[in-house]
Amino acid sequence: MKLRNTGNRQASVAMGQSDGVEYVNINEVPPSPRLHTSKKVSILPLIFLIFYEVSGGPFGVEDSVKAAGPLLALLGFLVFPLIWSVPEALITAEMGTMFPENGGYVVWVSSALGDYWGFQQGWMKWLSGVIDNALYPVMFLDYLRSGIPALDGGLFRAAAALGLTVVLTYMNYRGLTIVGWVAVLLGVFSLLPFLVMGLVAIPQLEPSRWFVVNLHNIDWNLYLNTLFWNLNYWDSISTLAGEVDNPKKTLPKALFYALILVVLGYFLPLLVGTGAVPLERDLWTDGYFSDIAKMLGGVWLRWWIQGAAALSNMGMFVAEMSSDSFQLLGMAERGMLPEFFAKRSRYGTPLIGILFSASGVILLSWLSFQEIVAAENFLYCFGMILEFIAFVRLRMKCPAASRPYKIPTGTVGAIIMCIPPTILICVVLALSSFKVAALSLVAVAVGLVLQPCLIYAEKKRLMKFSTSADLPHFHGSEQEGIESLIE
């Protein structure tokens, strides 16, 4: 990676290293200490928070086999990370260390394109995250319903989903440090049964099963949405950058190790599952890994996989809610949302942000798995386009700005790196159903109107807005925002 020291000297450093440049703008003193005293997140919990933001284990990848067969499913989880995950993680590392504060990608877009588009980024990404979080109670209950038939539907299932949401929301309320270490424990427990399943499956593996493909029977919409959903959200951790211990060094390293963990956590279980049992594509749907575990190891392994899936969904829920709620807090600290969104609990957590995010999850929990995935992917795509534009624009307009972690490419290289994921975004959007596209576009339109309404409310003093004095300053106008980044 190329980093900028004081002066024009460039140095090439390994991934995850930092030159220690201070996050201070010209004529500005270092920010004063925050009022809250919550503990910062260290590298190990941060790795597993990223792991749960993106993955949480192989639960939910089964539809890729149903949609396209073993060969394309396996290739997808090897090739797709190169096209999408690696560029997104690299951009997150550079921009997240450039702006090490809560709000993450909202601040990136605001500094490059102005506050209006920064707000749109925040609205689309927050809504996408809340929709995504509505999946996890659904997946939790899907993995348990084979053992508890009452969870298949009806009032009991609805009550169980509500109860789970309340319990996990309370965990977020109690503190990010607790959430981080819970993520570590849940991650180890969630991945361990797949290691055992792999060892048990060795005598039954038939490599020829991995190469089965039928190009005339592929559900491209389901296939791409499944890959996209399971390998995105690398940028979500940026909204917690203000809570990370030494983010300039810790964030890039954590992203690197999490990337390896995520790819292996998908590919190896798929390799075992598709190679050890006869192929019946229609059975490969949400929860099928538990059935494979029973075939290979017996009831005890199935229950372990089901328990791991349940706990994994808990980990994904708390990680996603942390990101969503701290994003709202960061936007409030930047004056983009009313001041009450910046209110913290006695545990240092964003109280109002948590309540808003939990309410959204409850309202959306009635949607099906496939509808949720498609809807959140659609909104997420729009947000990523803004991120790519902001990344390239800041490279062009302020090349001398402090970047403690810099991708070793120039402006042309930055543009080229963004082309493959942008093409992929266009394909995902094109394959969306009319229902999903219509609902998502309505949601986007709401954001376009909501920001001017908030500005009007501020002018009329209907709501109180304020900008935190602890944060480096950038102006809402495009050119001023860019100039304020340069030391």
Side-chain angles (χ1 to χ4, degrees), residues 230-259:
N230 280 286
L231 288 164
N232 62 19
Y233 281 88
W234 295 94
D235 58 339
S236 293
I237 200 65
S238 67
T239 64
L240 305 174
E243 311 302 311
V244 174
D245 182 26
N246 194 6
K248 298 170 194 174
K249 292 183 178 180
T250 305
L251 184 60
K253 289 180 180 179
L255 282 162
F256 174 73
Y257 294 126
L259 180 62

Side-chain angles (χ1 to χ4, degrees), residues 141 204 207 218 378 393 417:
L141 298 176
Q204 303 180 54
I218 297 175
F378 198 98
R393 190 165 184 79
M417 187 181 71

Side-chain angles (χ1 to χ4, degrees), residues 346-358:
R346 60 193 178 104
Y347 302 105
T349 50
L351 179 61
I352 304 301
I354 288 173
L355 292 176
F356 263 72
S357 299

Side-chain angles (χ1 to χ4, degrees), residues 105-297:
Y105 37 69
V106 177
V107 183
W108 313 346
V109 175
S110 294
S111 63
L113 305 175
D115 283 350
Y116 180 79
W117 291 109
F119 181 88
Q120 302 312 315
Q121 173 76 350
W123 166 250
M124 288 186 288
K125 282 300 191 77
W126 177 79
L127 192 57
S128 172
V130 170
I131 294 172
D132 180 65
N133 225 10
L135 277 174
Y136 304 129
V138 172
M139 292 176 65
F140 178 93
L141 298 176
D142 283 347
Y143 265 91
L144 294 182
R145 66 185 178 185
S146 61
I148 308 175
L151 292 175
D152 196 42
L155 184 60
F156 185 75
R157 180 184 175 92
L162 177 61
L164 180 64
T165 301
V166 171
V167 170
L168 297 181
T169 299
Y170 178 73
M171 189 179 296
N172 274 96
Y173 167 75
R174 287 299 304 267
L176 188 58
T177 303
I178 292 176
V179 169
W181 284 107
V182 166
V184 174
L185 296 175
L186 294 179
V188 172
F189 184 82
S190 297
L191 293 174
L192 192 57
F194 288 96
L195 177 61
V196 174
M197 189 172 76
L199 295 174
V200 171
I202 290 176
Q204 303 180 54
L205 289 177
E206 293 186 17
S208 61
R209 291 171 175 162
W210 297 328
F211 301 98
V212 175
V213 61
N214 182 359
L215 296 178
H216 301 290
N217 183 22
I218 297 175
D219 185 343
W220 289 106
N221 188 27
L222 179 60
Y223 175 66
L224 290 176
N225 268 312
T226 302
L227 290 174
F228 193 72
W229 175 67
N230 280 286
L231 288 164
N232 62 19
Y233 281 88
W234 295 94
D235 58 339
S236 293
I237 200 65
S238 67
T239 64
L240 305 174
E243 311 302 311
V244 174
D245 182 26
N246 194 6
K248 298 170 194 174
K249 292 183 178 180
T250 305
L251 184 60
K253 289 180 180 179
L255 282 162
F256 174 73
Y257 294 126
L259 180 62
I260 296 174
L261 185 62
V262 167
V263 173
L264 291 179
Y266 285 144
F267 184 76
L268 294 180
L270 271 177
L271 200 67
V272 171
T274 55
V277 299
L279 177 63
E280 294 185 59
R281 279 177 57 174
D282 289 340
L283 297 179
W284 277 86
T285 188
D286 185 30
Y288 187 55
F289 270 124
S290 62
D291 295 329
I292 294 175
K294 182 181 178 181
M295 286 183 264
L296 296 176

Side-chain angles (χ1 to χ4, degrees), residues 96-107:
T97 55
M98 191 177 179
F99 301 93
E101 61 177 271
N102 298 329
Y105 37 69
V106 177
V107 183

Side-chain angles (χ1 to χ4, degrees), residues 239-470:
T239 64
L240 305 174
E243 311 302 311
V244 174
D245 182 26
N246 194 6
K248 298 170 194 174
K249 292 183 178 180
T250 305
L251 184 60
K253 289 180 180 179
L255 282 162
F256 174 73
Y257 294 126
L259 180 62
I260 296 174
L261 185 62
V262 167
V263 173
L264 291 179
Y266 285 144
F267 184 76
L268 294 180
L270 271 177
L271 200 67
V272 171
T274 55
V277 299
L279 177 63
E280 294 185 59
R281 279 177 57 174
D282 289 340
L283 297 179
W284 277 86
T285 188
D286 185 30
Y288 187 55
F289 270 124
S290 62
D291 295 329
I292 294 175
K294 182 181 178 181
M295 286 183 264
L296 296 176
V299 175
W300 65 274
L301 187 55
R302 184 182 80 168
W303 276 106
W304 193 359
I305 292 285
Q306 288 178 334
L311 294 180
S312 174
N313 283 289
M314 291 173 60
M316 289 187 284
F317 186 99
V318 295
E320 181 65 55
M321 180 168 284
S322 294
S323 174
D324 296 342
S325 56
F326 272 101
Q327 177 199 315
L328 296 181
L329 181 144
M331 292 176 70
E333 289 180 337
R334 281 292 182 185
M336 296 181 185
L337 289 176
E339 189 180 59
F340 60 79
F341 278 100
K343 178 179 176 58
R344 291 179 183 255
S345 71
R346 60 193 178 104
Y347 302 105
T349 50
L351 179 61
I352 304 301
I354 288 173
L355 292 176
F356 263 72
S357 299
S359 300
V361 169
I362 293 171
L363 290 174
L364 294 166
S365 60
W366 57 272
L367 293 172
S368 71
F369 181 91
Q370 286 79 12
E371 287 176 326
I372 292 174
V373 170
E376 65 96 357
N377 280 351
F378 198 98
L379 289 170
Y380 188 83
C381 285
F382 280 117
M384 286 308 305
I385 289 173
L386 285 177
E387 280 185 33
F388 293 153
I389 293 173
F391 167 65
V392 172
R393 190 165 184 79
L394 290 174
R395 277 294 193 94
M396 295 172 64
K397 295 297 184 180
C398 50
S402 173
R403 289 174 172 85
Y405 177 82
K406 185 176 181 180
I407 305 168
T409 62
T411 301
V412 174
I415 294 172
I416 293 174
M417 187 181 71
C418 293
I419 291 175
T422 301
I423 293 173
L424 181 62
I425 284 174
C426 294
V427 173
V428 171
L429 292 175
L431 291 175
S432 298
S433 68
F434 175 79
K435 176 183 176 181
V436 168
L439 291 175
S440 299
L441 290 174
V442 168
V444 171
V446 170
L448 296 175
V449 175
L450 183 58
Q451 198 263 0
C453 290
L454 289 175
I455 292 178
Y456 178 81
E458 180 182 13
K459 288 181 178 179
K460 294 296 183 179
R461 297 185 179 181
L462 301 176
M463 294 181 181
K464 185 177 180 182
F465 293 73
S466 63
T467 301
S468 173
D470 292 343

